[in-house]
Amino acid sequence: MFTISDFVKDERKKQGLTQAQFAAKAGVGLRFVRDLEQGKETVRMDKVNKVLAYFGYVAVPGKIEGK
């Protein structure tokens, strides 16, 4: 499964940005970018959407497979 953390990391690398550079451009802290890219499960959704907005995306509710 392709996760938000995978997406953010891949897109950041495609743009040739370090985590620190990306954090500054997206308007979030470096620690948040690191936690997000490592798949930390308790990140703030407002910040996730701030990061995704940098790439022109937003997180939306989705159905869990098998439920």
Side-chain angles (χ1 to χ4, degrees), residues 5-65:
S5 53
D6 294 331
F7 173 81
V8 170
K9 188 174 187 176
D10 289 349
E11 291 299 313
R12 174 183 62 78
K13 286 184 174 187
K14 284 180 190 174
Q15 293 192 13
L17 298 172
T18 65
Q19 287 180 330
Q21 292 168 328
F22 175 66
K25 288 181 178 270
V28 296
L30 175 57
R31 176 66 180 251
F32 180 79
V33 172
R34 287 181 177 158
D35 287 348
L36 180 60
E37 288 189 0
Q38 292 174 1
K40 184 177 178 184
E41 293 184 9
T42 57
V43 292
R44 289 182 37 187
M45 286 306 296
D46 61 325
K47 288 187 177 186
V48 170
N49 277 320
K50 196 170 190 180
V51 166
L52 291 176
Y54 180 83
F55 301 116
Y57 288 83
V58 64
V60 296
K63 184 142 177 70
I64 297 173
E65 290 183 32

